[in-house]
Amino acid sequence: MQSAFITFNSSRIHYSYAGHGPKMLLCLHGYGESEENFHFLDLYLEKDYQLIAIDLPFHGKTKWKEGLQCTVSDLITIINTIRIERSITASSYTLIGFSMGGRLALSLLQETPDSIEKVVLLAPDGLSVNFWYWLSTQTFIGNRLFRLTMLHAGWFKMLLNIGNTLKIVNPSVYKFTKHYIDDKQVRSDLYARWTCMRKFKPELTIIKTMIVRYHIPVTLIYGEYDKIIRYEHGEKFRYGIEPFCTLQVIASGHQVLHEKNVAAIANALH
């Protein structure tokens, strides 16, 4: 895939593009990842799609200068600017989102359902409310405490280690959380990224209504061994919209977006 940039207000947005198919595929990566995680899809989809993969704020090569806030409207403007830049004239496009990118994809579906042809969500965030994420990003006091903890994480690491010792914290969750707490720069990135993306709050009742009204096919793909985002959330979301929403559980952990799973991903996109 080839690399390119666009300007958005004071920011410089990086994205990659490839393929020469008649349809557009917009790719939204997960937390701490980048557009590069989608590059392998080019080998399998180049005849079907024009692939566009964006580096989200505070990720990859994007230089975000709009403060700690990105809105759905901002993302829509960025997407439309890229479509003009790449001379993509199709009136609708397909969305694929992994983890955090799934929450963004759901928000786009909610706001612009008439522009969405199909949606593929890989272990998506956004189908359930994580209490700690809500507290850290949606409340003033919680966000101040979140910032303080990211600056001075000693007390939180102590509680996490106690929870692990007492076996009240899932080992996978412990390992995942510890990775984001031990390093000062990683903690700083976590605060900036979570806070920046706090406006992406999909309302599932509205989204399900839009899926039915606009006949939008949605495919949910989960990892059987994923301890971070469980497929049960997808089953609950799918209830009532079964003719439009399919769910598949594959032999994977949370990292569903991987070339070893390309058969399932490509099949959902064809």
Side-chain angles (χ1 to χ4, degrees), residues 13-32:
I13 309 299
H14 177 253
Y15 71 97
S16 63
Y17 64 96
H20 49 268
K23 299 178 289 186
M24 172 181 161
L25 175 63
L26 179 69
C27 308
L28 300 171
H29 62 74
Y31 178 90

Side-chain angles (χ1 to χ4, degrees), residues 1-245:
M1 295 181 73
Q2 299 184 63
S3 179
F5 290 87
I6 61 163
T7 298
F8 171 75
N9 296 337
S10 301
S11 300
R12 186 168 163 82
I13 309 299
H14 177 253
Y15 71 97
S16 63
Y17 64 96
H20 49 268
K23 299 178 289 186
M24 172 181 161
L25 175 63
L26 179 69
C27 308
L28 300 171
H29 62 74
Y31 178 90
E33 300 192 340
S34 75
E35 52 80 24
E36 293 183 357
N37 290 78
F38 288 98
H39 283 199
F40 72 90
L41 288 179
D42 177 32
L43 300 174
Y44 303 91
L45 300 173
E46 64 173 349
K47 295 181 180 179
D48 301 301
Y49 289 98
Q50 295 182 63
L51 282 74
I52 302 293
I54 302 172
D55 273 338
L56 299 169
F58 298 105
H59 288 80
K61 298 175 184 176
T62 285
K63 303 300 181 184
W64 186 255
K65 303 294 184 182
E66 315 307 316
L68 294 180
Q69 180 166 293
C70 177
T71 67
V72 182
S73 178
D74 292 335
L75 183 56
I76 291 170
T77 299
I78 290 167
I79 293 167
N80 289 336
T81 302
I82 293 173
R83 292 172 75 177
I84 293 171
E85 182 82 10
R86 300 261 61 89
S87 301
I88 297 173
T89 58
S91 59
S92 62
Y93 60 91
T94 294
L95 269 171
I96 181 170
F98 167 62
S99 196
M100 180 186 75
R103 175 159 55 92
L104 274 59
L106 287 165
S107 297
L108 287 170
L109 193 161
Q110 179 178 327
E111 293 297 318
T112 59
D114 56 331
S115 297
I116 309 301
E117 181 176 345
K118 180 187 299 184
V119 180
V120 176
L121 302 175
L122 311 175
D125 186 19
L127 294 184
S128 64
V129 177
N130 180 299
F131 172 78
W132 295 110
Y133 178 81
W134 173 84
L135 181 68
S136 299
T137 62
Q138 306 301 320
T139 69
F140 176 80
I141 294 176
N143 189 253
R144 295 303 91 189
L145 179 61
F146 180 34
R147 182 174 183 274
L148 181 64
T149 301
M150 294 301 97
L151 291 173
H152 310 285
W155 72 271
F156 184 79
K157 287 194 284 187
M158 180 181 69
L159 287 178
L160 186 66
N161 288 331
I162 291 173
N164 182 60
T165 301
L166 296 177
K167 300 187 184 303
I168 59 176
V169 176
N170 182 282
S172 297
V173 174
Y174 171 77
K175 182 179 179 181
F176 181 83
T177 305
K178 190 172 175 58
H179 169 74
Y180 291 106
I181 293 297
D182 277 348
D183 184 271
K184 183 177 181 180
Q185 183 58 52
V186 172
R187 294 198 305 269
S188 177
D189 290 340
L190 176 61
Y191 177 77
R193 290 164 176 170
W194 269 25
T195 303
C196 182
M197 309 309 288
R198 68 190 184 278
K199 295 296 184 181
F200 290 84
K201 299 182 290 184
E203 298 182 43
L204 302 186
T205 301
I206 295 175
I207 290 169
K208 292 172 73 168
T209 299
M210 295 299 103
I211 289 171
V212 174
R213 180 179 301 171
Y214 289 89
H215 292 200
I216 301 172
V218 176
T219 301
L220 307 171
I221 302 178
Y222 287 87
E224 181 180 0
Y225 314 113
D226 188 348
K227 302 299 183 182
I228 307 302
I229 297 180
R230 298 293 299 156
Y231 66 85
E232 287 85 357
H233 300 309
E235 290 179 334
K236 183 177 180 181
F237 173 75
R238 185 173 175 264
Y239 181 77
I241 58 169
E242 291 89 348
F244 304 98
C245 184

